Amino acid sequence: MWQLKDMPERPTGLFDARYRAFLETVSGVRAQLHRYCARMTASRLDGEDLVQETLFEAYTNIETLDDARRLKPWLFRIAHNRCIDFLRRRDVRERAEHAYSDDIGVVSAEPAATDARRAIERLVGHLPPKERACILLKDVFDYSLEETAELVDSTVGGVKSALSRGRAKLADLPPEPAGEPNRLDPDTAGLLQRYVDLFNRHDWDGVRSLTSADARLRVADCFDGLLRSSPYFVEYERNPETWTMELGAIDGEPVLIVLFQRGDRWQVAWPVRVHVAGRVIDRIEDYYACPWMLENAAETDLNLMTGPAILGRA
């Protein structure tokens, strides 16, 4: 059981040993937390960002957890609240508050069969936040009605109502068409392609020339701070394996994708999110420590715009 005092502020620079040790203790639940947050936000990238916020919040408040057996639901509760805050910030406050009303009558609907859960996960983004959360927690993650009510700060009756509404709506949804990646403006597309070309040539001075003087870098579970203060390019330079970076998209969002050569195949390893402002790169988020982000990615979720001809999945 962790008993940490004098909690530090959010880690900057290379994360300290205590925080990395904490991340190791929760490694078994990371993939499930990401799966939940990714489906709540309809974005694998935003989902992982919220997981990282969740874990740091848990780390700074671990002394309030009086029963280590409650760690997993406690983390899910924090993650759920982070997701709701995120959705409200995304201009859906009115929709979220309406969805949290508990006085709507129950419509009869059966829970999903096990073999339908993956399909449900791909469709829940069409539901209001409470229905989305209840469907995921009850029908996908197998929490009880009582546990789900606790996690979403509702009542058992409210959860039943949300489940019935959500299941009925899912049953009425038409087949989901394949999504197209969001279009980049020509200047941004050109900048990112230039970044990829220089990165693959290991021209680190050239890469730095495309970034702002105060560009930020976050490498999952490792570093958060100024790019110029990081060993970021050194780590790629000394990697002994054959890798390449390509411009691609995840869940319709343009990203950079790192691939490793495995025999005669290229395998997708992890995404890198790059933010452009004023025709320079001002923020990079590298998800190298998060292999679960791309697990079970479908063709409509992940594609390469200019990638190798032979592509295997990680």
Side-chain angles (χ1 to χ4, degrees), residues 252-274:
E253 178 180 346
V255 295
L256 310 182
I257 297 176
V258 177
L259 304 98
F260 281 81
Q261 191 168 26
R262 300 288 184 261
D264 62 349
R265 295 171 64 82
W266 288 94
Q267 289 187 336
V268 172
W270 61 79
V272 180
R273 197 182 212 174
V274 174

Side-chain angles (χ1 to χ4, degrees), residues 14-265:
L14 289 170
F15 292 175
D16 64 35
R18 287 198 307 174
Y19 187 46
R20 292 197 304 271
F22 170 76
L23 293 176
E24 182 63 27
T25 67
V26 299
S27 60
V29 74
R30 285 284 295 270
Q32 284 195 343
L33 283 173
H34 175 259
R35 187 175 163 194
Y36 179 74
C37 292
R39 292 310 183 186
M40 284 293 290
T41 62
S43 167
R44 285 175 171 80
L45 301 167
D46 291 332
E48 182 56 35
D49 290 346
L50 291 177
V51 169
Q52 292 182 44
E53 291 179 12
T54 293
L55 294 177
F56 184 70
E57 181 177 339
Y59 172 67
T60 57
N61 292 284
I62 194 68
E63 77 282 357
T64 66
L65 182 65
D66 55 8
D67 183 354
R69 293 171 299 181
R70 297 283 298 162
L71 176 62
K72 183 177 177 179
W74 184 58
L75 290 173
F76 264 88
R77 177 67 179 273
I78 296 172
H80 172 77
N81 290 337
R82 288 281 182 173
C83 288
I84 294 301
D85 289 343
F86 174 88
L87 293 172
R88 285 174 174 165
R89 290 196 302 268
R90 208 163 64 177
D91 297 326
V92 293
R93 179 181 297 275
E94 182 177 348
R95 181 182 177 192
E97 291 175 350
H98 175 73
Y100 266 72
S101 172
D102 285 339
D103 58 359
I104 299 178
V106 175
V107 179
S108 177
E110 293 298 320
T114 301
D115 58 2
R117 292 180 182 181
R118 288 294 180 188
I120 287 174
E121 284 189 71
R122 295 182 58 79
L123 294 172
V124 292
H126 295 281
L127 301 176
K130 185 179 182 180
E131 295 169 18
R132 192 182 314 178
C134 291
I135 291 286
L136 286 171
L137 292 169
K138 181 67 173 64
D139 291 350
V140 176
F141 292 97
D142 289 323
Y143 280 100
S144 68
L145 289 170
E146 292 76 13
E147 290 169 330
T148 301
E150 180 182 358
L151 289 172
V152 303
D153 195 22
S154 183
T155 63
V156 170
V159 170
K160 288 181 177 179
S161 296
L163 288 171
S164 293
R165 296 193 303 272
R167 290 168 183 164
K169 291 175 183 177
L170 289 177
D172 290 338
L173 285 175
E176 190 173 38
E180 292 292 331
N182 296 330
R183 296 289 182 181
L184 289 171
D185 67 81
D187 288 340
T188 299
L191 176 61
L192 293 182
Q193 190 58 60
R194 178 67 173 159
Y195 180 93
V196 166
D197 293 341
L198 292 169
F199 211 99
N200 286 335
R201 295 206 299 266
H202 298 206
D203 183 351
W204 309 125
D205 288 338
V207 172
R208 289 187 185 93
S209 72
L210 303 180
T211 66
S212 65
D214 58 351
R216 303 284 303 183
L217 169 71
R218 182 169 68 181
V219 180
D221 293 5
C222 180
F223 182 91
D224 190 354
L226 292 174
L227 175 63
R228 66 172 182 265
S229 302
S230 77
Y232 185 55
F233 302 121
V234 173
E235 293 296 326
Y236 273 94
E237 178 68 40
R238 68 187 184 187
N239 192 309
E241 298 189 78
T242 301
W243 58 265
T244 189
M245 180 180 284
E246 298 290 343
L247 186 59
I250 296 177
D251 299 323
E253 178 180 346
V255 295
L256 310 182
I257 297 176
V258 177
L259 304 98
F260 281 81
Q261 191 168 26
R262 300 288 184 261
D264 62 349
R265 295 171 64 82

